[in-house]
Amino acid sequence: MDDLFSQPPANPATRIATLREELERHNRLYYNEAQPEISDAEYDRLFRELEDLEQAHPDLADPNSPTQRVGGTPLEGFQQRQHLIPMLSIDDVFEEAEVGDFFKRLQKNLGADQIPVTIEPKIDGVAVTLIYRHGNLDYAATRGDGTRGDDITNNIRTIRSLPLTLGEDAPTLLEIRGEVYMPNAEFAKLNEQRDEEGLPTFANPRNATAGTLKQLNPKAVAARPLAVLAHGLGAHEGISFSNEDDFHALLDRCGIPRNQPIWHKDSLDGVLETIRELDTLRHGLPYQTDGAVIKVSSFDDRQALGATSRAPRWAAAFKYPPEQKPTLLRDISVQVGRTGILTPVAELEPVPLSGTTVARATLHNESFIQERDIRLGDTVLVHKAGEIIPEILSVVTAQRPAHSQPFSLHQHLGGKCPACAAPIERRENAVKKDGEDYLVLTWWCGNFECPAQAVTRMKHFAQRKALDLEGLGESVAIKLVESDLARSPLDLFSLSEEQLANLLLDPAKLQSGEESKPRRFGEKKASLLLASLEKARTEQPLAKWIFAMGIPHVGEASSKELARLHERLTDLADSDILKTIRNITDFEAEQRNISPRNKEIPPKDEAEKEERQARYNELKEQITALQDSLAAKQISPDVGPVASASVLDFFESEAGQHVLERLHTLGINPRSDNYAPDPTAASADLPLLGKTFVITGTLSAGRDEFKNLIEKRGGKVTGSVSKSTDFLLAGEGGGSKRDKAAKLGVTIIDEAAWHDLLGSAS
Ligand code: IVH
């Protein structure tokens, strides 16, 4: 390991190859074996070194380099790939008797009593084929119509658990068939986030996966956690297999993740037993399964059995009945979210489903309820999306009680917020689903002081992804609000240690079933919380603060992008970038409206048509000019029209203004740690943009301090001197790097020269 971090050898090609191999090995250790050998920081260092080298040596670029997993430029559309071997389907069977028929057919056609077969879960994902040539991922494609599919190589490359290179052992050609999926837990997180941001949720992990793979922008794919499991062999050259186990051994040697668990049986009884065992076990797997695949193990036997035009005769899929159960909708309760959004929740007669008892299910919003005409007292069919999220699929209308009424949230709540009794407001939210605009009807509590909102806002503010306030979970947030010690997150900054320590929490349930005495928050926890508040005040970067503010439609990714574009929180509140985006959106709306070709509002006569055309052209010019002014910033879709408008609305609102004043009084103005608004052009704010530094020797302050200064000004610091290094900042000592820099003609500066450089640059 020491070897890897020490000075690179003179030959960049060798160094690049070593780094690529090592980074892939660490990917495997981290993602597939959960046994990392190096820290994240060390990984990042190697990664950056490789990035630098690749930048300096464009001739050594490789699409399968680990640096390419973060996603490149968006595509215009997917290219088509002709499959080397058709991607067949599997014959489905639904009854144990049909499994018997299948097994007897095998016995008859192969003339044997015992037939070695494997049984494995059928993954409910999206089929993919992966072509490796000479150990390198050549391309990846979807099934398409079975003969031709979409080339989704760039999207597949973002899946870190999948090796892009296979090493020494790899045959000349290896086609792997497998399934791309979104792990259940990640699916749940994604949907929660989308729900919170007012976006339509995905019905199940398969839809989320398919939707993600259809993205033309691989960066958007890289942000979504997909995984892949191999389950089959396609075309191959330079290797032969006698059975499924041989094939699995190769997958393991190459580090390609494969479908597990897997059973080996050779009798019908054994197969049936396994199918039943898998039915209970599958709910514990991290992905969706809808069946058990039974495959003849011997490849000679497969050859002998052959295939129909649709499916091979050597495999069958036993499909488990979908897990859905009828139950009674007893009531609809309503939760108040952080932004005041009111979310209806179904209170169900408890029913066992996919391994747990389900008693509640989210109903998302009023549109969801109305589309399905769900009514109180209905018998409803429930299932679990992604094995996790209970959801109502439909109503059993035959069992509907007489005189039931369509559900109205307003009526149900008597027009009042269930937490603070303020009048509720209705808003229509336009969202895109499958490329189409549609309206979601939501109800809100408009009272910014609502205690339920205060609690969820505080929880949101304190979570690790936000300001990471220690010990501030839901129960503490409730007590702080109840006791009136803190009504809004910013009130936290005025609390004393004594106030916090004396906060009374609910009694705990003891093991005996009795309750403990009321507990105090206590001195120790109080001082930890105060320390993390102080850290939030002085150190937490802008991105975390933006996320923590809980502005609607502004999630983690948007917050990071906003912090890249703005240096201070106060810049954000008065942002020209966001205003420009808002203006573009407004102009575009006007343009659509007044377009002489608008079929809904056609021009009355020729004169109006001309007038509208003139305005249309004018707007077009303005839009182009505004877009040009933003082009160099390469703003990601995370900061689009919706998020931009939402941020501006917030800071222009009374509540937002109040927040700004409070922050000012508290002396809080968080600073961005990833500020780089103009990634292509050097600007006055970023005098060191594009410059690469290496730091060595002993300086008057820690290296991290210098690194910070350089990065703040748009420069970059790497660990080793190469041709792409612009400056070596050298203190006392630092011999070998100094020699290397001298040899390569890299400018060497001492601290005095460094100050000159900063002076002249700013
Ligand atoms: S073996 C000739 N094993 O299900 C096809 N397929 O409905 C042999 N699938 O196209 C495929 N899990 O994409 C196999 N463990 C598994 C599977 C699996 C999911 C998919 C696969 C196939 C489709 C057929």
Side-chain angles (χ1 to χ4, degrees), residues 88-90 120-123 127 143 178-179 231 259 293 295 312 314:
L88 297 182
S89 166
I90 318 182
E120 63 185 68
K122 184 164 195 292
I123 307 157
R143 176 218 283 273
E179 217 70 10
H231 55 55
N259 192 20
V293 180
K295 298 178 200 172
W314 46 262

Side-chain angles (χ1 to χ4, degrees), residues 220-268:
V221 180
R224 297 254 185 94
L226 295 181
V228 63
L229 285 174
H231 55 55
L233 175 65
H236 52 285
E237 278 164 20
I239 191 163
S240 63
F241 304 94
S242 62
N243 57 32
E244 188 80 349
D245 290 340
D246 270 6
F247 170 55
H248 286 165
L250 176 81
L251 292 178
D252 291 348
R253 281 202 301 280
C254 292
I256 299 174
R258 66 178 167 91
N259 192 20
Q260 300 195 69
I262 182 150
W263 287 261
H264 293 76
K265 299 284 154 155
D266 60 12
S267 69
L268 178 59

Side-chain angles (χ1 to χ4, degrees), residues 484-673:
D484 227 13
L485 274 179
R487 274 273 152 164
S488 82
L490 294 183
D491 293 342
L492 296 168
F493 291 95
S494 316
L495 294 177
S496 69
E497 182 161 348
E498 196 191 342
Q499 283 173 312
L500 274 172
N502 287 329
L503 184 73
L504 282 185
L505 304 178
D506 277 336
K509 281 250 182 302
L510 299 177
Q511 263 194 337
S512 59
E514 287 163 43
E515 288 190 341
S516 73
K517 292 209 188 76
R519 301 163 297 154
R520 288 170 69 247
F521 191 56
E523 276 73 18
K524 196 161 156 215
K525 283 192 173 162
S527 90
L528 283 174
L529 177 52
L530 284 177
S532 61
L533 278 163
E534 186 53 19
K535 184 169 173 212
R537 207 174 70 80
T538 55
E539 283 175 39
Q540 293 285 23
L542 180 58
K544 295 225 166 188
W545 267 93
I546 298 174
F547 178 66
M549 311 200 65
I551 302 168
H553 306 292
V554 180
E556 254 190 309
S558 312
S559 302
K560 282 208 184 104
E561 182 68 350
L562 285 165
R564 180 181 73 81
L565 297 165
H566 302 87
E567 193 175 13
R568 314 291 302 238
L569 189 75
T570 37
D571 302 336
L572 186 70
D574 187 33
S575 162
D576 287 337
I577 298 177
L578 299 184
K579 286 179 192 163
T580 308
I581 296 175
R582 182 167 65 181
N583 287 348
I584 294 176
T585 322
D586 291 350
F587 285 155
E588 282 173 342
E590 187 187 343
Q591 202 186 23
R592 271 194 303 276
N593 251 322
I594 60 104
S595 164
R597 289 164 295 282
N598 182 340
K599 293 212 178 66
E600 277 156 40
I601 331 168
K604 284 198 301 286
D605 48 29
E606 249 341 275
E608 187 188 323
K609 189 170 163 189
E610 254 171 51
E611 201 178 299
R612 278 167 63 169
Q613 183 65 50
R615 175 72 184 141
Y616 184 92
N617 295 345
E618 198 177 282
L619 285 167
K620 191 169 165 193
E621 244 172 64
Q622 280 169 335
I623 292 169
T624 315
L626 291 178
Q627 278 167 343
D628 285 352
S629 75
L630 293 181
K633 304 199 182 302
Q634 299 183 7
I635 300 172
S636 96
D638 295 316
V639 175
V642 177
S644 303
S646 188
V647 170
L648 291 173
D649 285 351
F650 174 73
F651 286 113
E652 284 163 11
S653 73
E654 209 179 310
Q657 287 291 319
H658 186 63
V659 166
L660 283 177
E661 274 163 38
R662 293 280 313 269
L663 287 171
H664 181 74
T665 324
L666 290 164
I668 302 176
N669 190 8
R671 185 186 281 278
S672 175
D673 64 348

Side-chain angles (χ1 to χ4, degrees), residues 156-410:
I156 291 298
R157 273 206 193 98
T158 66
I159 301 176
R160 308 245 172 173
S161 52
L162 184 74
L164 302 177
T165 50
L166 302 181
E168 312 280 273
D169 246 358
T172 36
L173 169 69
L174 183 64
E175 175 179 23
I176 303 292
R177 301 277 167 85
E179 217 70 10
V180 185
Y181 66 95
M182 185 176 290
N184 293 335
E186 306 287 355
F187 164 76
K189 254 196 267 172
L190 178 68
N191 259 2
E192 198 181 304
Q193 202 180 327
R194 289 177 69 88
D195 221 7
E196 199 167 280
E197 288 173 24
L199 297 169
T201 51
F202 290 107
N204 53 51
R206 182 174 14 86
N207 286 7
T209 307
T212 304
L213 288 177
K214 277 202 200 100
Q215 299 258 0
L216 290 167
N217 180 0
K219 282 210 172 68
V221 180
R224 297 254 185 94
L226 295 181
V228 63
L229 285 174
H231 55 55
L233 175 65
H236 52 285
E237 278 164 20
I239 191 163
S240 63
F241 304 94
S242 62
N243 57 32
E244 188 80 349
D245 290 340
D246 270 6
F247 170 55
H248 286 165
L250 176 81
L251 292 178
D252 291 348
R253 281 202 301 280
C254 292
I256 299 174
R258 66 178 167 91
N259 192 20
Q260 300 195 69
I262 182 150
W263 287 261
H264 293 76
K265 299 284 154 155
D266 60 12
S267 69
L268 178 59
D269 281 349
V271 171
L272 292 176
E273 222 170 76
T274 306
I275 288 175
R276 288 176 215 133
E277 187 183 340
L278 179 56
D279 193 16
T280 48
L281 207 142
R282 69 195 181 101
H283 299 302
L285 294 174
Y287 45 83
Q288 295 278 277
T289 57
D290 59 351
V293 180
I294 309 144
K295 298 178 200 172
V296 170
S297 182
S298 151
F299 283 21
D300 283 345
D301 286 352
R302 290 186 185 184
Q303 186 89 39
L305 289 161
T308 67
S309 64
R310 218 190 66 83
R313 291 199 186 84
W314 46 262
F318 178 86
K319 296 293 277 282
Y320 295 111
E323 290 264 329
Q324 31 181 271
K325 290 211 179 121
T327 190
L328 183 71
L329 176 61
R330 294 205 290 211
D331 193 8
I332 292 180
S333 60
V334 178
Q335 287 176 348
V336 187
R338 141 177 82 75
T339 54
I341 196 165
L342 300 174
T343 305
V345 179
E347 303 290 342
L348 304 164
E349 184 70 38
V351 56
L353 191 71
S354 309
T356 61
T357 302
V358 169
R360 312 183 82 204
T362 178
L363 293 165
H364 303 290
N365 50 56
E366 190 160 41
S367 293
F368 183 92
I369 301 177
Q370 287 173 352
E371 274 159 26
R372 289 160 187 76
D373 189 17
I374 297 167
R375 303 182 184 189
L376 290 171
D378 268 345
T379 297
V380 291
L381 272 186
V382 289
H383 83 141
K384 271 194 198 163
E387 298 287 337
I388 301 183
I389 310 159
E391 197 168 66
I392 293 185
L393 285 170
S394 60
V395 173
V396 187
T397 31
Q399 292 182 34
R400 172 166 281 168
H403 314 300
S404 80
Q405 293 292 317
F407 182 79
S408 146
L409 196 103
H410 188 268

